Amino acid sequence: MAALGSPVRRAVAPRYSSKSTGPLKRRLVVGLLILASLAMITVYFREAPNGGLHGFQSTGASVMRPFEIGASRVARPFRDAYHWTADLFNAREENEDLKKKVSELQQLAIRNANAKDELDKLRDILKYKHGPNYPEDFPNSVTAEVLSNPSSQFDQTVVIAAGRTSGIRVYDAVVTDRGLVGQVTKVTRDEAKITLLSDKESAVTAKDRSSGAIGIVRHSQGSEDVLFLDRVAKSKQVNEGDLIMTAGLQQGKLPSFYPKGIPIGLVTKVGQNELDEFQVVQVQPLVDFSSVESVVVLISNKPRPQMP
C-alpha cells in the first residue's frame, strides 16, 4: 500500500514526430508503386495479346481518343501560329542575309568591271607603245594614272600620278593610244600637272596628213569646245575627214616640243572667206579631254628646243 501510495510518475511512451514519419511514409508509398508497376509490367508481357491488361489498355486508348483529337484540334491554331511566326522571323533573317550577299556581289561585280576597264586601257596603251605609230625617239616614256580631270571649262588641266622621280620634266608631251593630250606644265616629286590641248593657251604645229598643209592647232576663242587648224593657206587643199597630226620640227617654222606624227583629230568643217587670208578648218579631237584616265608621258633624251 505504501508502494501504491508513493508519488512515483509513470514512464511516458515516446512519440514519433511528423518530421520523421513523413519521409518514411513517402518512401513506403514510392516503393509500393514501384513494386506494383513491376508486377503489372511482368503480367503485361507474360499475358496473351487478348488478355485483361491488353483489353484494358485498348479500352482506355479508345476512351481517350476523342479527348486527344479535341485537344489536337484546339492546339492546332496555336501551333500553326507559332510555326508561322517562327518562319516569318526566319524569312526576314534570310532576306536580310540575301540582301547583304547581293550587295556584296554587286560591289564585287563593279570592282571587277572597273578592274577590267583599267586592264583594257593599260593593254591598249601597251599595244600603242609597241606599235608602229609610237614615236621612235621616246624609249623611256612613263605611263601614269590620271588623278583628277578638268574641274570646269575654264580649267583645262589634269594631274597625273607621276612626277620628277619618274623622270618627267616640264614641256614633256603627253599622249594616249588615241592621240595627243597636252603638255606637262608643272612637276612635283610624285605628281605632274598637264595642260590639255583644249586649253585656250595651248597651241601645236600640225599638218594635214593627206595634203601636207601646215598650220597651228589651237582652241576656239568662241564658246564651242572645238579645235581649229589655224593659218592654213587657201592654196592648200583640206577636206573633211582628213587626219590632222603633229608636224614636229619644220624647216623655217617655229620648233616644237611635240614629236612628229602624233594624231590630233579629224577635220569636220572647212570654210573660206574672201576677206580672210587663211582657211577656217575645224578639227574634232580624237581624245575626250573630259574623261582621260591614263596617259603616256614622252620623255626624250635629246636636247630641248629653245622655243615652244
Side-chain angles (χ1 to χ4, degrees):
M1 292 297 290
L4 293 174
S6 61
V8 179
R9 296 181 178 181
R10 295 181 179 180
V12 180
R15 295 181 180 180
Y16 294 99
S17 63
S18 60
K19 293 183 179 180
S20 60
T21 57
L24 181 62
K25 290 180 180 180
R26 288 194 294 271
R27 291 173 184 174
L28 182 60
V29 171
V30 170
L32 292 175
L33 290 175
I34 293 174
L35 291 175
S37 299
L38 294 174
M40 293 180 67
I41 292 172
T42 303
V43 172
Y44 179 82
F45 283 105
R46 289 184 177 181
E47 191 181 43
N50 55 356
L53 286 177
H54 286 79
F56 177 77
Q57 181 186 17
S58 177
T59 303
S62 300
V63 171
M64 296 301 296
R65 183 62 179 171
F67 298 97
E68 180 181 358
I69 294 174
S72 177
R73 290 179 178 178
V74 172
R76 182 179 300 172
F78 300 97
R79 184 172 59 250
D80 293 343
Y82 170 77
H83 289 301
W84 181 84
T85 305
D87 293 340
L88 178 61
F89 283 105
N90 292 333
R92 287 181 177 178
E93 293 179 357
E94 292 178 0
N95 189 25
E96 293 297 329
D97 293 339
L98 290 175
K99 286 182 178 179
K100 291 180 181 179
K101 291 180 180 180
V102 169
S103 178
E104 292 175 356
L105 291 175
Q106 289 177 343
Q107 294 296 327
L108 180 61
I110 292 173
R111 289 195 296 269
N112 290 339
N114 293 335
K116 182 180 181 301
D117 292 340
E118 293 179 2
L119 182 61
D120 291 340
K121 290 181 176 65
L122 292 176
R123 186 182 291 113
D124 292 338
I125 289 178
L126 183 62
K127 183 179 179 180
Y128 165 71
K129 292 175 67 173
H130 291 84
N133 297 326
Y134 183 78
E136 297 179 356
D137 298 334
F138 299 88
N140 300 322
S141 60
V142 175
T143 302
E145 179 186 3
V146 174
L147 299 178
S148 65
N149 282 304
S151 57
S152 67
Q153 61 178 352
F154 303 105
D155 180 26
Q156 293 297 303
T157 61
V158 298
V159 177
I160 63 173
R164 191 179 301 110
T165 55
S166 301
I168 296 176
R169 301 176 295 175
V170 177
Y171 302 126
D172 283 340
V174 182
V175 300
T176 68
D177 60 309
R178 295 188 61 82
L180 183 63
V181 174
Q183 189 179 61
V184 177
T185 53
K186 184 178 179 180
V187 182
T188 62
R189 184 178 181 274
D190 297 314
E191 294 181 357
K193 183 170 75 172
I194 311 300
T195 299
L196 302 175
L197 191 59
S198 56
D199 187 80
K200 297 183 184 301
E201 301 299 326
S202 295
V204 55
T205 305
K207 71 174 182 178
D208 187 322
R209 186 179 65 172
S210 300
S211 65
I214 301 294
I216 298 176
V217 171
R218 63 177 78 251
H219 189 271
S220 170
Q221 298 300 319
S223 60
E224 293 184 87
D225 188 17
V226 295
L227 302 176
F228 282 90
L229 181 62
D230 198 8
R231 305 186 69 82
V232 178
K234 291 183 177 180
S235 59
K236 297 294 184 179
Q237 181 69 30
V238 179
N239 300 314
E240 293 185 11
D242 286 354
L243 176 64
I244 305 300
M245 59 179 54
T246 56
L249 297 176
Q250 297 290 321
Q251 289 290 340
K253 301 288 185 179
L254 293 178
S256 175
F257 286 114
Y258 298 99
K260 181 180 179 181
I262 302 297
I264 297 176
L266 299 176
V267 176
T268 56
K269 185 178 180 180
V270 180
Q272 294 187 5
N273 191 323
E274 294 181 358
L275 300 178
D276 293 333
E277 182 180 358
F278 304 103
Q279 300 184 59
V280 179
V281 181
Q282 183 174 305
V283 178
Q284 178 65 39
L286 297 175
V287 176
D288 183 2
F289 299 113
S290 63
S291 60
V292 180
E293 297 183 359
S294 56
V295 297
V296 177
V297 182
L298 302 179
I299 300 176
S300 176
N301 296 326
K302 295 183 179 181
R304 296 177 180 272
Q306 296 299 319
M307 299 181 64

